[in-house]
């Protein structure tokens, strides 16, 4: 799979642009704040359905304009395709090959891309929520069912938490409180059902990606560094859905008093984490900035391997400011294998040897092929 062309109108600082990419390595270079990352974001929006920066669609519109549009012309193993997004009058419309899509979720898993950006260091250095987000996004690209599971779980969690808040309200009688508490059992069963299936998918994914990430990290470090990923959740055997559903149900039932005291659900897959260790030690605490960056890059390259394994196609790799704090050997490794996959890379560096890469200069929201 590769992106042939992106066409933008009124997107962030880009008034109008049409950028064509080669199937191999593409280098977007220029000074800071010239539109490099905005261009990368506009490509990735078709993989995730929204900005990777968490920006609302209305805030992607260029200042002083009333709409933005982005068109992605890409090729997969079957055919040439087109995805189109336009936001105007407070509404976002999405199209796939000129057919209107009803929901944002319908765009996900059509165009597949793996993104690396500086914020992804949060996979190592950040909070558990950042590592959960990594797992959720990665799995969603290969399993649309997983997206529905997440939605069902979140809605059930919100309903359970709303009921807990009612129980916590001052002034209600003991009888009403007892009745509301009994009603939690309905939400406990539903939450356990969805939690067990999400945990199983997360466990399977991490077990598949970990050997790839370990191999890539070892290759980039000349066999000096061993990376280890491990899924962390509240049940002992997440791969056994029936057993873990019972375990989650017990967890929710036994934790009612604790949750009421806290005012929300304290256990469940919304609290999961991902353990990242280097040479047996937590990378967050003991790794250097360069090691952390290399580890995240290894995880992202491994994400691409899993995507290829499941779908039969290489995803597009979008690498934002990837070369900071990487030595020459690791940069060379990153560019290796580019004959079989598309890389779109942004950098402020001007003198890096990118071989036969297609070079595109970014300047004040405009892009010039060199």
């Amino acid at each position: 799979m590769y992106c042939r062309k992106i066409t933008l109108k009124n997107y962030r600082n880009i008034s109008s642009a049409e950028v064509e990419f080669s199937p191999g390595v593409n280098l977007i270079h220029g000074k800071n704040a010239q539109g490099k990352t905005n261009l990368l974001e506009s490509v990735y929006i078709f993989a995730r359905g929204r900005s990777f920066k968490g920006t609302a669609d209305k805030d992607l519109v260029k200042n002083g304009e009333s709409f933005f549009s982005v068109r992605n012309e890409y090729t997969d193993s079957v055919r040439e395709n087109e995805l189109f997004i336009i936001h105007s009058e407070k509404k976002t419309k999405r199209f796939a090959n000129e057919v209107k899509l009803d929901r944002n979720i319908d765009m996900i898993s059509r165009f597949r891309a793996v993104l690396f950006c500086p914020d992804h260091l949060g996979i190592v250095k950040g909070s558990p929520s950042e590592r959960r987000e990594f797992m959720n996004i990665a799995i969603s690209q290969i399993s649309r069912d997983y997206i529905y599971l997440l939605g069902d779980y979140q809605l059930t969690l919100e309903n359970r938490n709303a009921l807990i808040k009612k129980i916590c309200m001052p002034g209600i009688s003991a009888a009403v409180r007892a009745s509301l508490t009994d009603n939690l059992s309905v939400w406990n069963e539903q939450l356990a059902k969805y939690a067990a299936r999400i945990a199983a998918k997360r466990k399977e994914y991490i077990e598949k990606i970990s050997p790839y990430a370990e191999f890539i990290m070892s290759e980039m470090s000349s066999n000096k560094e061993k990376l280890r990923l491990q899924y962390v959740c509240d049940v002992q055997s997440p791969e056994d859905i029936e057993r873990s559903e019972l375990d989650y149900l017990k967890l929710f039932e036994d934790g009612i008093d604790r949750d009421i005291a806290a005012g929300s659900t304290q256990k469940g897959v919304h609290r999961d984490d991902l353990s990242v260790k280097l040479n047996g030690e937590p990378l967050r605490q003991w790794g250097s900035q360069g090691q952390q960056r290399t580890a995240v890059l290894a995880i992202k390259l491994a994400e691409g391997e899993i995507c290829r394994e499941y779908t039969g196609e290489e995803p597009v790799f979008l690498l934002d400011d990837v070369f900071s704090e990487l030595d020459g050997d690791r940069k060379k490794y990153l560019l290796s294998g580019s004959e079989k996959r598309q890389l779109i890379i942004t950098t402020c560096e001007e003198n890096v040897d990118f071989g036969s890469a297609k070079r595109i200069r970014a300047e004040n929201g405009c892009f010039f092929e060199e």
Side-chain angles (χ1 to χ4, degrees), residues 315-367:
V316 176
F317 286 83
L318 306 172
L319 309 175
D320 188 27
D321 191 26
V322 69
F323 291 115
S324 298
E325 301 181 51
L326 292 182
D327 59 29
D329 289 340
R330 298 184 191 205
K331 292 175 182 176
K332 186 180 296 184
Y333 181 88
L334 178 61
L335 295 172
S336 66
S338 59
E339 70 280 354
K340 65 177 183 177
R341 62 191 180 202
Q342 184 181 47
L343 283 77
I344 304 176
I345 304 169
T346 69
T347 183
C348 294
E349 299 182 35
E350 295 289 342
N351 300 318
V352 181
D353 181 10
F354 289 93
S356 60
K358 180 172 185 176
R359 298 177 66 95
I360 300 169
R361 177 168 53 87
E363 186 176 323
N364 196 28
C366 298
F367 302 92

Side-chain angles (χ1 to χ4, degrees), residues 120-126 130-131 134 274 276 296 299-300:
H120 284 146
L121 287 174
I123 296 173
V124 171
K125 300 169 61 175
E130 293 176 83
R131 289 181 283 279
F134 157 69
L274 176 64
V276 184
V296 174
I299 292 169
K300 284 293 177 174

